[in-house]
C-alpha cells in the first residue's frame, strides 16, 4: 500500500508554498474528484504531510472495534501539540470528525486538502495564530475498510466508499452515551483531552431534493448552554452563512421536513447526546453537523465541505472578546442553574420564515407499482418563503442535587463518568446516607433491538427520601462543576439518552422474591385487619379499578406491594441524589 501512496505524491511545486516542498496530492485530486481516499491512503497521506511540515503531528490514539488505533492529526503553528499550552495562550481548538458514516466521505477528502493547504498557503497559514486544529481523519475505520459501491444507493459518488455500520454493525453516530464501541471510548478520550471549543462532524444527507449543496445544523440552540447559545445564534451563524454565500455556496438549515416535502416547513434538528454534536454540546462546545446533499456530484460536495471548514476557521481565528467572555462564564456554571432542563419539545406555534431554494415537488404514476409517486422537478426551481420551526420548549426539568452517589456495582456508568472527566470521589468508609431515591414508575421498551439495546423511553419516576447503606469505594459525583450537563443527562433517568434508558440499570427492574399465595392469603388478611388505612386504600383502589375489584389474585398482590414484605430495591433507581450539603467521608 505504501508503494501506491508514494505514487500519489505529485510532482507539482506550488509557487505559494511557504517552504518549497512538493505538494502532496490527495487521491480525490488525482482522480479529478471521482475517488475518496481509502483508510490506508488517508493515514499514509497524513504521515507524509507531517514529515514535510512540523506544524502537523499524527497521534496514534485509543483502539477501535476493528483492532486498529484511532488517529488524530493536530495542526499547531507553535508546534506545542499540548492542550494546556493552547489554554495559556488563549488559543481556541477546532475539532473535525470525519467518516463516522464512511459512506459519506466528503469530509475525509476535504480535510486532507484543508490540512495541507493550511500549512502551505499564506492566506490560510495566518489563520492559525489563534487556533489549533485537531482532525480525526476517519472515525469509523471498521466501516471505511468495508468498502463497496452500492450501499449508498441514492448518492452521486464517489466511485467506492465505506459502509455505515462498524465492525459490530453499530451506527457510531448513536453511540456517544452508551459507548458500546471502542471507537466511542477512544473518541471521548480525545475529546476530553483536547476539550474543543468548536466541532464539525461531516456527513452527506438523504431526503428531499433542493438546490443547496450544503446544509447544516448547529447544536440545538434551546438545549445548548444559554450563555453561549445567544452568541452562536446572533453572532456566529450569520457570519458563517455570509462567508459561505461569498464563497458561492449558499446554505440552508438541515432539511428535516415537517411533513413530506420541504414546502410543509422544516424542523430544527434536536440532537440528543447519543449523537456526536449532541455529546459535544454537553461540554459547551459549539458543534456543527454538515450535511451535503446526496444528489450533488461528489467533487462539488467535497468543495462545499472544504469551504465550510475554511469559513469556520476564518471566524474562529478572529479575536472575539465577547465569545471568550461567554465561554469563560458558560464553563463556570453559576449557582442559579439549580434547576436544569432535561427534556424539550418542539414549539409548533412558533416559526421563522426562511427563503428556500427548492425544486417543485410533483407526483406522477410509478412505473413500479402504478401508484402516484413523488419526484422533485429540477427543471422547476423556486425560491420562496417557507416555515422554519426551530424553537424547543422545556417539557421537563429537575433540581440539580449537591451530589449523586452510585454503588460501585454499576461499573459501566462509573467508567464512562470517569472517561468524561467528571469530578468524583470514593467513599472512604461504610456510611448510611440520606438520599432522594427515584422509583421507576413506568417506562416503555423498544420491541426490537435498536443499536444493540432494547432501550427504554417515556420513563416516569416517583421519589422519596430514604436512609441507604453505602459502602467504602462507592462513588460520589460532584455536580456544579465541569461536565454538569453530561452528568444530568446521563444520570437523570427521565432524560431521553440517560444511562437508564440505555439499559445500564436493567437489573433493578426485576423482582427477586415472591410469595406462595395460599400462605400469604392469611398474612394479608391479618395485615388488613390490623391496618385500617391499608384496608381503606385497597377499597379505594378497587373502586377506581374495576379489574382489580373482580380479581382476587390481583388484590392479594396489591396488599403484598403495599406491605413491608415487598422488596424496597425493586424498581429503585440505584443512583441516589443527595439534596443538601453534607460532609461525607471521601477518599481518592
Ligand atoms: Zn451521516
Amino acid at each position: 500500500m505504501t508503494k501506491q501512496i508514494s505514487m500519489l505524491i505529485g510532482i507539482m511545486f506550488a509557487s505559494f508554498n511557504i517552504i518549497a516542498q512538493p505538494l502532496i496530492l490527495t487521491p480525490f485530486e488525482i482522480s479529478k474528484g471521482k475517488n475518496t481516499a481509502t483508510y490506508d491512503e488517508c493515514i499514509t497521506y497524513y504521515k507524509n504531510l507531517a514529515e514535510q511540515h512540523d506544524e502537523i503531528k499524527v497521534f496514534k490514539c485509543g483502539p477501535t472495534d476493528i483492532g486498529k488505533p484511532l488517529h488524530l492529526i493536530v495542526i499547531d503553528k507553535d508546534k506545542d501539540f499540548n492542550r494546556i499550552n493552547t489554554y495559556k495562550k488563549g488559543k481556541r481548538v477546532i475539532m473535525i470528525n470525519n467518516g463516522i458514516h464512511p459512506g459519506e466521505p466528503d469530509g475525509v477528502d476535504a480535510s486532507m486538502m484543508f490540512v495541507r493547504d493550511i500549512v502551505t498557503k499564506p492566506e490560510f497559514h495566518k489563520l492559525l495564530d489563534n487556533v489549533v486544529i485537531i482532525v480525526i481523519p476517519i472515525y469509523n475505520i471498521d466501516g471505511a475498510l468495508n468498502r463497496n459501491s452500492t450501499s449508498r444507493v441514492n448518492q452521486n459518488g464517489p466511485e467506492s466508499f465505506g459502509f455505515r455500520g462498524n465492525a459490530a454493525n453499530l451506527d457510531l453516530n448513536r453511540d456517544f452515551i452508551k459507548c458500546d464501541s471502542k471507537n466511542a471510548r477512544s473518541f471521548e478520550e480525545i475529546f476530553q483531552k483536547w476539550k474543543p471549543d468548536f466541532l464539525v462532524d461531516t456527513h452527506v444527507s438523504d431526503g428531499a431534493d433542493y438546490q443547496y449543496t450544503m446544509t447544516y445544523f448547529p447544536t440545538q440552540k434551546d438545549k445548548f448552554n444559554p450563555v453561549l447559545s445567544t452568541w452562536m445564534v446572533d453572532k456566529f451563524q450569520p457570519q458563517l452563512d455570509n462567508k459561505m454565500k461569498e464563497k458561492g455556496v449558499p446554505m440552508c438549515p438541515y432539511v428535516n421536513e415537517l411533513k413530506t416535502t420541504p414546502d410543509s416547513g422544516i424542523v430544527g434538528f434536536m440532537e440528543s447526546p447519543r449523537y456526536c454534536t449532541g455529546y459535544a454540546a454537553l461540554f459547551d462546545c459549539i458543534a456543527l453537523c454538515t450535511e451535503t446533499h446526496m444528489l450533488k456530484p461528489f467533487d462539488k460536495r467535497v468543495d462545499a465541505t472544504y469551504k465550510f471548514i475554511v469559513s469556520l476557521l476564518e471566524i474562529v481565528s478572529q479575536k472575539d472578546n465577547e465569545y471568550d467572555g461567554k465561554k469563560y462564564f458558560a464553563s463556570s456554571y453559576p449557582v442559579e442553574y439549580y434547576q436544569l432542563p432535561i427534556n424539550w419539545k418542539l414549539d409548533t406555534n412558533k416559526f421563522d420564515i426562511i427563503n428556500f431554494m427548492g425544486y417543485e415537488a410533483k407526483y406522477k404514476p410509478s412505473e413500479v407499482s402504478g401508484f402516484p409517486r413523488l419526484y422533485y422537478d429540477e427543471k422547476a426551481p423556486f425560491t420562496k418563503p417557507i416555515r422554519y420551526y426551530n424553537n424547543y420548549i422545556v417539557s421537563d426539568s429537575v433540581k440539580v442535587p449537591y451530589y449523586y452517589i452510585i454503588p460501585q456495582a454499576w461499573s459501566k456508568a462509573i467508567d464512562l463518568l470517569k472517561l468524561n472527566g467528571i469530578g468524583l470521589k470514593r467513599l472512604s468508609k461504610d456510611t448510611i446516607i440520606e438520599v432522594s431515591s427515584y422509583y421507576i414508575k413506568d417506562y416503555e421498551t423498544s420491541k426490537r433491538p435498536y443499536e444493540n439495546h432494547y432501550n427504554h423511553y417515556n420513563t416516569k419516576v416517583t421519589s422519596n427520601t430514604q436512609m441507604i447503606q453505602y459502602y467504602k469505594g462507592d462513588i460520589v459525583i460532584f455536580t456544579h462543576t465541569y461536565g454538569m450537563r453530561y452528568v444530568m443527562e446521563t444520570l437523570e433517568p427521565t432524560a431521553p439518552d440517560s444511562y437508564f434508558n440505555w439499559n445500564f440499570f436493567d437489573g433493578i427492574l426485576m423482582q427477586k422474591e415472591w410469595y406462595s399465595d395460599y400462605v400469604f392469603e392469611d398474612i394479608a388478611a391479618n395485615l388488613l385487619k390490623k391496618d385500617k388505612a391499608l384496608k381503606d386504600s385497597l377499597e379505594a383502589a378497587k373502586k377506581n379499578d374495576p379489574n382489580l375489584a373482580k380479581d382476587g389474585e390481583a388484590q392479594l398482590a396489591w396488599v403484598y406491594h403495599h406491605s413491608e414484605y415487598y422488596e424496597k430495591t425493586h424498581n429503585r433507581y440505584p443512583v441516589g441524589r443527595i439534596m443538601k450539603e453534607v460532609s461525607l467521608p471521601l477518599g481518592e
Side-chain angles (χ1 to χ4, degrees):
M1 196 51 76
T2 315
K3 249 188 206 166
Q4 281 176 325
I5 296 303
S6 63
M7 288 169 65
L8 301 178
I9 301 175
I11 49 164
M12 253 176 84
F13 283 80
S15 58
F16 43 72
N17 271 9
I18 291 170
I19 308 158
Q21 292 275 14
L23 189 70
I24 305 179
L25 297 179
T26 67
F28 169 81
E29 290 166 311
I30 291 166
S31 68
K32 300 205 171 2
K34 295 275 184 274
N35 293 340
T36 182
T38 63
Y39 169 72
D40 287 325
E41 286 169 348
C42 181
I43 300 304
T44 309
Y45 170 86
Y46 280 115
K47 285 179 179 165
N48 288 337
L49 263 190
E51 266 176 32
Q52 278 192 0
H53 302 281
D54 52 9
E55 295 171 358
I56 301 173
K57 197 164 176 177
V58 178
F59 289 87
K60 230 185 222 184
C61 302
T64 63
D65 282 353
I66 199 82
K68 294 182 187 293
L70 199 58
H71 283 87
L72 184 74
I73 317 302
V74 181
I75 303 100
D76 181 355
K77 201 175 190 176
D78 297 343
K79 302 161 202 166
D80 255 343
F81 308 107
N82 178 307
R83 180 51 167 135
I84 294 167
N85 291 342
T86 65
Y87 271 130
K88 286 184 189 155
K89 293 174 194 164
K91 288 191 174 196
R92 297 160 190 159
V93 174
I94 296 177
M95 179 174 189
I96 302 165
N97 184 42
N98 297 308
I100 194 167
H101 293 150
E104 307 167 15
D106 303 11
V108 171
D109 300 286
S111 294
M112 288 166 74
M113 294 187 291
F114 170 76
V115 170
R116 177 197 62 207
D117 293 350
I118 199 172
V119 294
T120 54
K121 291 187 175 180
E123 71 270 28
F124 284 174
H125 193 252
K126 63 176 190 278
L127 301 178
L128 285 176
D129 288 349
N130 301 320
V131 183
V132 169
I133 297 165
I134 64 175
V135 181
I136 294 186
I138 297 179
Y139 175 46
N140 182 355
I141 299 167
D142 336 19
L145 293 169
N146 186 4
R147 208 160 156 113
N148 71 95
S149 298
T150 50
S151 60
R152 295 282 297 169
V153 59
N154 297 323
Q155 195 170 285
N156 188 358
E159 284 180 358
S160 65
F161 39 78
F163 181 65
R164 188 181 185 93
N166 87 331
N169 207 34
L170 296 170
D171 182 338
L172 296 186
N173 204 23
R174 309 289 185 270
D175 199 35
F176 284 88
I177 292 299
K178 62 189 175 69
C179 281
D180 287 335
S181 67
K182 292 194 181 83
N183 307 52
R185 286 171 188 253
S186 297
F187 180 102
E188 292 181 10
E189 205 179 330
I190 292 169
F191 185 94
Q192 294 304 336
K193 182 175 175 190
W194 282 93
K195 295 187 173 54
D197 302 287
F198 296 82
L199 178 140
V200 186
D201 188 37
T202 59
H203 291 256
V204 182
S205 152
D206 295 327
D209 193 9
Y210 39 76
Q211 297 177 48
Y212 302 93
T213 302
M214 175 61 83
T215 69
Y216 85 104
F217 62 86
T219 191
Q220 217 299 317
K221 66 180 175 60
D222 297 322
K223 183 174 185 295
F224 193 38
N225 186 313
V227 180
L228 279 168
S229 183
T230 50
W231 183 85
M232 179 180 83
V233 173
D234 298 343
K235 299 283 167 63
F236 171 76
Q237 286 188 260
Q239 286 188 70
L240 189 60
D241 288 338
N242 280 338
K243 283 188 179 292
M244 287 295 280
K245 210 185 230 171
E246 282 165 20
K247 292 179 178 69
V249 190
M251 296 196 295
C252 160
Y254 175 58
V255 180
N256 185 18
E257 302 90 352
L258 182 70
K259 290 174 187 157
T260 314
T261 57
D263 343 31
S264 62
I266 58 179
V267 177
F269 191 66
M270 169 55 92
E271 16 82 289
S272 65
R274 73 184 63 179
Y275 300 99
C276 182
T277 51
Y279 164 81
L282 295 182
F283 297 96
D284 304 331
C285 171
I286 293 179
L288 310 156
C289 181
T290 60
E291 294 272 6
T292 53
H293 189 250
M294 61 179 178
L295 293 176
K296 308 299 179 282
F298 180 51
D299 56 345
K300 279 211 165 110
R301 298 190 334 247
V302 172
D303 177 63
T305 307
Y306 179 95
K307 286 174 175 157
F308 187 96
I309 298 169
V310 171
S311 301
L312 172 66
L313 175 61
E314 287 169 351
I315 300 166
V316 177
S317 65
Q318 299 159 16
K319 268 279 163 215
D320 184 326
N321 293 336
E322 193 185 336
Y323 168 77
D324 290 334
K326 282 179 183 294
K327 176 80 183 185
Y328 176 78
F329 183 67
S331 302
S332 51
Y333 270 104
V335 285
E336 298 92 88
Y337 289 97
Y338 273 173
Q339 189 83 19
L340 268 193
I342 52 167
N343 245 317
W344 294 260
K345 64 177 183 201
L346 183 70
D347 184 348
T348 49
N349 297 316
K350 229 171 128 189
F351 52 82
D352 297 320
I353 296 290
I354 57 169
N355 248 345
F356 183 72
M357 302 189 328
Y359 295 125
E360 269 182 38
K362 297 178 178 173
Y363 288 85
K364 61 184 177 185
S366 158
E367 289 183 35
V368 176
S369 66
F371 293 115
R373 54 147 287 185
L374 170 70
Y375 74 103
Y376 289 90
D377 186 353
E378 294 192 0
K379 293 195 186 79
F382 66 77
T383 301
K384 69 176 180 191
I386 62 163
R387 292 177 175 189
Y388 176 39
Y389 297 88
N390 190 34
N391 297 290
Y392 282 83
I393 40 183
V394 174
S395 58
D396 191 12
S397 66
V398 290
K399 194 169 160 50
V400 181
Y402 275 88
Y403 312 101
Y404 287 96
I405 182 162
I406 311 186
Q408 56 206 293
W410 305 98
S411 53
K412 182 171 181 187
I414 295 164
D415 287 349
L416 290 179
L417 290 162
K418 279 186 190 161
L419 178 68
N420 281 287
I422 303 306
L424 44 82
K425 285 208 154 129
R426 289 183 181 276
L427 282 182
S428 58
K429 61 175 187 184
D430 298 356
T431 315
I432 293 172
I433 301 171
E434 184 185 293
V435 297
S436 169
S437 252
Y438 286 132
Y439 278 86
I440 306 297
K441 193 175 132 201
D442 200 8
Y443 60 94
E444 291 173 70
T445 303
S446 60
K447 300 271 181 297
R448 288 170 186 273
Y450 170 83
E451 293 299 330
N452 224 20
H453 291 255
Y454 289 89
N455 52 334
H456 307 308
Y457 57 99
N458 286 341
T459 300
K460 306 272 188 303
V461 295
T462 55
S463 71
N464 64 20
T465 302
Q466 297 186 14
M467 301 300 288
I468 294 185
Q469 172 76 62
Y470 292 93
Y471 295 94
K472 183 180 173 183
D474 288 348
I475 300 287
V476 175
I477 293 147
F478 304 93
T479 51
H480 292 94
T481 181
Y482 177 76
M484 178 177 181
R485 286 229 67 114
Y486 179 88
V487 170
M488 297 300 291
E489 293 201 29
T490 54
L491 294 186
E492 285 297 324
T494 52
D497 272 345
S498 65
Y499 289 159
F500 173 81
N501 282 337
W502 281 113
N503 310 107
F504 283 29
F505 300 115
D506 278 3
I508 63 158
L509 299 175
M510 197 181 159
Q511 200 175 325
K512 289 290 174 289
E513 293 282 10
W514 197 237
Y515 53 79
S516 296
D517 50 3
Y518 74 96
V519 184
F520 190 62
E521 276 284 352
D522 298 325
I523 298 169
N526 268 335
L527 285 174
L528 291 171
K529 270 180 215 151
K530 279 195 290 189
D531 188 342
K532 185 171 179 312
L534 184 68
K535 171 114 180 103
D536 290 348
S537 320
L538 174 61
E539 292 308 318
K542 279 157 65 181
K543 262 189 202 143
N544 282 337
D545 181 355
N547 288 332
L548 180 67
K550 56 188 181 195
D551 185 339
E553 281 180 18
Q555 289 179 38
L556 194 63
W558 188 98
V559 176
Y560 181 73
H561 280 115
H562 290 79
S563 77
E564 62 177 354
Y565 301 104
Y566 172 57
E567 62 210 51
K568 276 202 182 66
T569 48
H570 181 213
N571 290 331
R572 187 172 75 188
Y573 181 61
V575 184
R577 292 159 44 86
I578 300 176
M579 303 309 289
K580 53 190 178 194
E581 200 150 20
V582 286
S583 162
L584 298 167
L586 298 176
E588 285 297 297

